[in-house]
Amino acid sequence: MNFTEIAETRQSCRNYNPNRDIEQEKLDRILQAARLSPSACNGQPYQITVCRGETAKKVAKATQGMGLNKFAPDAPVLLVISEMPYNATAAMGAKVKKNDYRSIDIGILAAYITAEATAQGVGSCILGWLDDSEIRKLCDLDEPVRLVITLGYPKDDDKLRQKKRKDIEKLVKFVE
């Protein structure tokens, strides 16, 4: 699958098959792609905590406030992305430029994870609605949790949906 095919077929999965686990080889490929994602000054200011089994179920519950993310407990793997301190070079750049490079880096990381998941035939969904303090307790984390990414195989009836995106003319501006 080339990148355009990945971009065309990747979608947020909200209909996981709870009876099908992810093979370790595929999870390893997804995590290797995450390791290779670019970050400011190659600092990788994040940690990925892989949750399976009962911990995954508990973390999923911590993403379900106000009726959201009801599908999360059906995903066999949840990746908890926590923010870590900058390395010295990125910290200096962030201060001088007044830019939060960690958030950018975590966004790129999420894109790499979800793209490789798609390439492996695994569904994914990026969750930003979460109970930070509860997930920190469950995963024994000191740093803030920024995202949770669910991973699993979609149910057979989870079909590719039409993408709703801005027209290219509204999205892209050319200047010379």
Side-chain angles (χ1 to χ4, degrees):
M1 202 182 286
N2 68 40
F3 186 79
T4 301
E5 292 168 329
I6 291 169
E8 289 171 343
T9 58
R10 194 262 159 207
Q11 64 184 9
S12 295
C13 181
R14 294 182 182 91
N15 192 19
Y16 290 105
N17 180 345
N19 301 314
R20 187 170 177 203
D21 200 3
I22 299 173
E23 299 86 348
Q24 188 62 46
E25 305 80 43
K26 290 187 177 188
L27 182 57
D28 289 345
R29 287 184 191 120
I30 292 165
L31 296 171
Q32 180 65 9
R35 188 182 78 79
L36 295 172
S37 70
S39 61
C41 304
N42 294 318
Q44 296 179 298
Y46 41 74
Q47 181 177 31
I48 304 166
T49 303
V50 180
C51 302
R52 290 184 127 150
E54 284 307 307
T55 301
K57 300 281 186 214
K58 290 175 184 176
V59 169
K61 186 172 189 234
T63 69
Q64 292 185 304
M66 296 182 64
L68 296 171
N69 304 324
K70 292 178 183 178
F71 59 89
D74 288 339
V77 175
L78 277 75
L79 302 180
V80 173
I81 312 300
S82 50
E83 181 180 282
M84 301 300 286
Y86 285 119
N87 66 20
T89 309
M92 182 180 69
K95 187 172 184 171
V96 169
K97 289 299 185 182
K98 296 179 176 65
N99 202 346
D100 180 13
Y101 296 118
R102 286 181 291 205
S103 292
I104 296 166
D105 293 342
I106 288 170
I108 296 167
L109 172 73
Y112 269 57
I113 288 169
T114 59
E116 184 59 31
T118 300
Q120 295 300 319
V122 174
S124 63
C125 191
I126 303 167
L127 310 180
W129 185 274
L130 51 87
D131 183 336
D132 173 61
S133 61
E134 180 63 19
I135 295 173
R136 282 197 210 189
K137 285 182 216 166
L138 291 168
C139 296
D140 192 28
L141 300 170
D142 294 326
E143 303 295 335
V145 174
R146 294 298 180 213
L147 296 173
V148 173
I149 302 175
T150 57
L151 297 173
Y153 287 100
K155 287 184 179 175
D156 291 338
D157 63 349
D158 189 52
K159 302 299 179 197
L160 185 62
R161 300 179 297 275
Q162 182 179 357
K163 295 199 180 289
K164 296 176 184 173
R165 302 292 191 265
K166 291 180 180 178
D167 291 334
I168 196 79
E169 296 80 20
K170 292 182 180 180
L171 186 66
V172 178
K173 176 182 175 181
F174 288 92
V175 295
E176 291 187 33

